[in-house]
Amino acid sequence: NAGVTQTPKFQVLKTGQSMTLQCAQDMNHEYMSWYRQDPGMGLRLIHYSVGAGITDQGEVPNGYNVSRSTTEDFPLRLLSAAPSQTSVYFCASSYFLAGVQETQYFGPGTRLLVL
Amino acid sequence: DAKTTQPTSMDCAEGRAANLPCNHSTISGNEYVYWYRQIHSQGPQYIIHGLKNNETNEMASLIITEDRKSSTLILPHATLRDTAVYYCIVRVPNAGNMLTFGGGTRLMVKP
């Protein structure tokens, strides 16, 4: 298994540009999520999904959209990039066993710089 | 989710045990204690979790006090590769209840 993969690894955007960060997992996990991590800070949840067709907002959803058309993929879209969105973005996945969420697996991250 | 308090940083000598404390005095009965770590520039890595009994796996041991208001993560023989930020997270592992990462403890393992 490749686990959780993210593309691109690095990206530079100009203010106002839009882009999509890709996340894929091959473990058939129901749950997927996006976090951002600013320098010297902990991770903050942006959006999450508990299954295909189901998404919900996390702690810091403004400026981001997500969709979950398949179990494997969970792309994060920046609608109009702002310098405040400069961060490292991590995608994660996990499964549920008897209603309990098991350990989360994280991708390697996408480093985004917005000028 | 219950709030957690961890020291900002700790040092440990290579080969010695690293004991990382976490206070979670407002933990409720159905909340678990999770530990993750993040090695520089990498994605977080799961270490261990528990409800009320002590737990051990190939990476670490988790000691939870009887009143569950605090816990300690133990790395029995720390190596330089264990240098990382360690996060203690308390949560109910339900479908809509996501991981909330705080500041964590920066562990520096020194030769």
Side-chain angles (χ1 to χ4, degrees):
Chain A
N1 287 347
V4 180
T5 59
Q6 293 183 236
T7 56
K9 287 187 170 57
F10 304 96
Q11 183 70 47
V12 179
L13 290 178
K14 294 180 180 179
T15 297
Q17 286 185 314
S18 62
M19 79 160 294
T20 299
L21 280 63
Q22 301 292 343
C23 175
Q25 52 92 9
D26 61 358
M27 298 173 282
N28 201 33
H29 287 171
E30 308 104 306
Y31 163 78
M32 296 184 75
S33 62
W34 278 101
Y35 293 84
R36 62 176 286 176
Q37 185 173 35
D38 299 329
M41 305 287 286
L43 280 77
R44 293 184 293 171
L45 181 66
I46 304 172
H47 285 286
Y48 66 94
S49 169
V50 297
I54 306 169
T55 64
D56 208 342
Q57 297 181 349
E59 180 185 0
V60 288
N62 292 340
Y64 308 95
N65 274 355
V66 292
S67 60
R68 185 94 180 272
S69 56
T70 67
T71 299
E72 294 79 18
D73 301 299
F74 190 45
L76 178 72
R77 282 183 289 278
L78 279 69
L79 308 173
S80 177
S84 61
Q85 294 179 304
T86 293
S87 191
V88 181
Y89 292 84
F90 291 102
C91 179
S93 76
S94 69
Y95 64 94
F96 295 96
L97 187 63
V100 175
Q101 184 183 31
E102 296 299 307
T103 181
Q104 293 194 36
Y105 297 87
F106 284 81
T110 293
R111 283 151 183 79
L112 176 68
L113 172 62
V114 182
L115 301 175
Chain B
D1 291 344
K3 181 179 171 57
T4 60
T5 303
Q6 298 178 252
T8 304
S9 63
M10 293 181 63
D11 290 343
C12 177
E14 188 178 20
R16 305 296 294 268
N19 298 293
L20 290 86
C22 180
N23 285 323
H24 31 80
S25 59
T26 60
I27 192 170
S28 59
N30 58 350
E31 288 182 310
Y32 286 65
V33 180
Y34 289 79
W35 283 85
Y36 280 75
R37 73 180 182 183
Q38 188 173 23
I39 297 170
H40 181 63
S41 299
Q42 298 181 21
Q45 177 189 24
Y46 166 81
I47 302 173
I48 199 168
H49 75 281
L51 181 61
K52 53 185 177 181
N53 296 323
N54 297 339
E55 302 287 344
T56 295
N57 62 21
E58 64 278 5
M59 289 182 66
S61 294
L62 173 61
I63 308 298
I64 303 174
T65 58
E66 192 168 345
D67 63 7
R68 303 211 320 126
K69 293 184 176 183
S70 65
S71 60
T72 301
L73 177 74
I74 301 173
L75 308 178
H77 305 286
T79 71
L80 299 179
R81 288 175 294 179
D82 291 321
T83 293
V85 178
Y86 288 76
Y87 295 97
C88 169
I89 300 162
V90 173
R91 62 184 287 269
V92 178
N94 287 339
N97 204 3
M98 302 301 117
L99 285 176
T100 301
F101 288 79
T105 296
R106 185 171 298 276
L107 176 68
M108 179 72 71
V109 181
K110 299 183 175 180

